Amino acid sequence: DAGVTQSPTHLIKTRGQHVTLRCSPISGHKSVSWYQQVLGQGPQFIFQYYEKEERGRGNFPDRFSARQFPNYSSELNVNALLLGDSALYLCASRLVGNNEQFFGPGTRLTVL
Amino acid sequence: GDSVTQMEGPVTLSEEAFLTINCTYTATGYPSLFWYVQYPGEGLQLLLKATKADDKGSNKGFEATYRKETTSFHLEKGSVQVSDSAVYFCALSPYNTDKLIFGTGTRLQVFP
């Protein structure tokens, strides 16, 4: 079975632009979470979605938003990019009833 | 709020040496505890987990025991290999949530 997939792999944007990151969970996984990992730090929780509804949100500004589609894939949107948004963005999926989260390879975002 | 503290790295060992990476946590209630590993250029992989006090998680020769009395979840391995070189993250998931709270990570370097 395919694991969690994310696209694109790498992305370079300039300050003020908007970015959309995409995630496809493992087949059968209905819960998707997003994390931001700044270089040298542990991942920070951004959002969790389950059954197309937001079920949790971390301490991130309103510039960050997300949504989940009927096929359980998800998008993370970031508006008005700042240099500090440069990070590895990780998506994780989970099977309902199991607390193990499986992570994708991430999208490396560089903001210039 | 809930948090995870793990020892700073890098931890440098010779092959076949004994490994301990310390992890302590602060949480209300009964969180689940995890160790994740991140190999160079890759995403996070779940290494082991424990969901209640005194549980021992184990995988690939690594072990960690959920110690509620000391709020710790130290990672150990009896004999490390060069292939174990990676960054190790301790994490907790508060009870009944999907959110993962990570430590800052500990880099392990194993030399032949």
Side-chain angles (χ1 to χ4, degrees):
Chain A
D1 287 342
V4 177
T5 59
Q6 294 185 243
S7 62
T9 304
H10 296 88
L11 204 51
I12 299 175
K13 293 284 189 179
T14 56
R15 281 178 296 175
Q17 286 190 310
H18 164 271
V19 68
T20 297
L21 311 181
R22 294 177 175 83
C23 169
S24 291
I26 292 171
S27 178
H29 288 198
K30 299 181 179 180
S31 173
V32 170
S33 297
W34 287 94
Y35 292 81
Q36 180 196 65
Q37 186 179 15
V38 173
L39 194 63
Q41 299 293 319
Q44 298 290 316
F45 173 75
I46 310 175
F47 286 111
Q48 188 234 336
Y49 275 77
Y50 174 65
E51 291 287 5
K52 302 185 293 295
E53 291 188 5
E54 181 182 305
R55 299 301 180 103
R57 184 184 184 112
N59 188 24
F60 281 79
D62 291 344
R63 300 184 296 108
F64 289 77
S65 64
R67 56 179 176 168
Q68 187 177 34
F69 299 98
N71 66 353
Y72 304 108
S73 67
S74 178
E75 283 183 354
L76 175 69
N77 296 282
V78 187
N79 292 323
L81 285 167
L82 303 174
L83 295 180
D85 295 331
S86 295
L88 180 69
Y89 288 84
L90 296 165
C91 175
S93 73
R94 179 181 70 87
L95 192 63
V96 174
N98 188 321
N99 66 356
E100 294 182 20
Q101 293 197 42
F102 295 84
F103 283 81
T107 294
R108 173 74 62 187
L109 172 65
T110 301
V111 181
L112 302 177
Chain B
D2 296 351
S3 65
V4 173
T5 302
Q6 59 182 108
M7 63 189 288
E8 291 189 16
V11 173
T12 303
L13 295 173
S14 297
E15 206 164 23
E16 299 183 3
F18 183 86
L19 168 70
T20 299
I21 300 178
N22 290 335
C23 171
T24 57
Y25 67 91
T26 301
T28 55
Y30 301 92
S32 294
L33 301 175
F34 304 85
W35 277 100
Y36 280 85
V37 59
Q38 190 170 38
Y39 297 101
E42 298 185 16
L44 291 167
Q45 298 177 25
L46 177 64
L47 183 58
L48 54 83
K49 70 170 186 178
T51 56
K52 62 182 186 297
D54 300 325
D55 268 1
K56 178 185 283 188
S58 62
N59 186 26
K60 300 180 181 179
F62 291 89
E63 294 183 339
T65 301
Y66 190 144
R67 300 288 189 198
K68 190 163 179 63
E69 64 275 13
T70 54
T71 61
S72 65
F73 193 56
H74 304 320
L75 183 68
E76 296 181 336
K77 186 176 186 183
S79 177
V80 294
Q81 305 299 312
V82 172
S83 58
D84 294 327
S85 298
V87 180
Y88 292 81
F89 291 94
C90 184
L92 71 83
S93 182
Y95 178 73
N96 212 27
T97 74
D98 260 15
K99 175 182 178 179
L100 283 168
I101 298 169
F102 287 86
T104 54
T106 302
R107 180 174 300 278
L108 170 65
Q109 298 174 319
V110 181
F111 293 96

